[in-house]
Amino acid sequence: MRIVILTGAGISAESGMGTFRDKGGLWENPDLMKLATPEGFAADPAAVHAWYNMRRAKVRSCQPNAAHVALAALQQDPRAEVTLVTQNVDDLHERAGSHDVIHMHGTHLRALCVDCGARWPAPSQMTVDTRCACGGAARPDVVWFGEVPYHMDRVGAALTQADLFVAIGTSGVVYPAAGFVRVARQAGADTLEINLAPSERATEFARSAFGPATQTVPAWVA
Ligand code: BV8
Ligand code: ZN
């Protein structure tokens, strides 16, 4: 069975990571929306670096949870051909044993040179003085608002051939990820939303399972 899985911040909530739009989330303070844009980075690179330095330190202190582990186990199941796409910019899926994870919003664990496009493992603390070998300034290798998500061709192909599309722990607010359920459904796939509560896209899913991901994801994978 060909399964496309999309995860969001909710899958990591029980690892202690916090989410973006839940109460007290990373996005509650409007300035944070400025932080996740190229304009915000141009205006105040030090503030953006500080935000990602905090999140990079946070993920190092967190462990993958039972939901990440269950998805890694599903990828080992010969009966399932899994394409795992995440909006998350951390490495909890990889640390749980998942492989070939598609990071459509990039990863803050990699640095990107604004001049030559070189990428390298991000230092734990990036600053405005972090430089590429070419001398160019460095930014986190993440996709900000207004920027084109990574690997969209590969994700689009997987969605149109999927038997099942599953969204886990995402509010369904940010596009193009929020539109994946419609692409999959129009291609004839079954659709399942696994979330703490109905997302913005809940009515577009054929089925749903509500509750904490550490319970609902292992139950679904079993
Ligand atoms: C693009 C950076 C063109 C990395 C992020 C109008 C004006 C301006 C722009 C737009 C517009 N309309 C549409 C757009 C486009 C825009 C967009 O969607 N804006 C929204 C706000 C309307 N999108 C873009 O700009 C994208 N680029 O469109 O380019 C294009 C498109 C296609 C093809 C070619 C070109 C770029 C989007 C990427 C933006 N970057 N972050 C970072 O710092 O992380 S977005 C940010 O939101 C994160 O990446 C995050 O991953 C993403 C989504 O958030 P979620 O993961 O869903 O997290 P959230 O907190 O929202 O929800 C958590 C959920 O978990 C909740 O539902 C909760 O109930 C649940 N939950 C909580 N606890 C648990 C749980 N579930 C289970 N168990 C639990 N314990
Ligand atoms: Zn460079």
Side-chain angles (χ1 to χ4, degrees):
M1 171 185 259
R2 290 166 303 199
I3 308 174
V4 176
I5 298 171
L6 169 72
T7 63
I11 197 169
S12 305
E14 292 161 270
S15 294
M17 281 299 289
T19 63
F20 290 90
R21 294 171 185 84
D22 287 331
K23 186 138 182 39
L26 286 163
W27 297 86
E28 204 133 73
N29 155 1
D31 293 347
L32 292 183
M33 282 306 278
K34 283 213 292 288
L35 291 170
T37 62
E39 298 76 17
F41 183 67
D44 190 351
V48 175
H49 280 309
W51 186 45
Y52 283 98
N53 290 340
M54 176 272 286
R55 292 171 61 193
R56 207 173 288 119
K58 181 82 183 155
V59 75
R60 290 215 195 296
S61 69
C62 292
Q63 294 305 319
N65 63 49
H68 298 105
V69 172
L71 294 187
L74 181 65
Q75 283 186 296
Q76 302 302 323
D77 183 334
R79 293 164 301 170
E81 190 187 320
V82 176
T83 301
L84 178 54
V85 187
T86 187
Q87 299 172 93
N88 302 335
V89 293
D90 56 51
D91 61 349
L92 289 177
H93 280 302
E94 289 85 350
R95 285 163 52 196
S98 277
H99 53 82
D100 195 16
V101 181
I102 299 176
H103 284 271
M104 65 177 288
H105 290 167
T107 165
H108 59 29
L109 300 172
R110 231 186 1 242
L112 168 66
C113 174
V114 299
D115 287 345
C116 76
R119 288 179 166 85
W120 67 95
S124 55
Q125 295 295 311
M126 279 180 85
T127 71
V128 293
D129 300 323
T130 305
R131 283 277 177 270
C132 170
C134 81
R139 57 169 277 184
D141 186 18
V142 296
V143 177
W144 284 324
F145 286 104
E147 296 185 323
V148 179
Y150 292 154
H151 311 298
M152 283 299 95
D153 45 345
R154 191 173 155 207
V155 173
L159 287 169
T160 50
Q161 282 136 33
D163 299 304
L164 172 63
F165 171 71
V166 187
I168 302 174
T170 179
S171 58
V173 166
V174 175
Y175 286 85
F180 289 175
V181 56
R182 182 164 305 175
V183 173
R185 210 185 57 229
Q186 282 169 354
D190 181 12
T191 53
L192 168 64
E193 174 168 79
I194 299 181
N195 211 48
L196 191 61
S199 75
E200 296 274 314
R201 308 264 76 76
T203 55
E204 299 181 40
F205 285 85
R207 299 184 284 134
S208 51
F210 297 129
T214 53
Q215 293 166 26
T216 47
V217 177
W220 167 63
V221 169

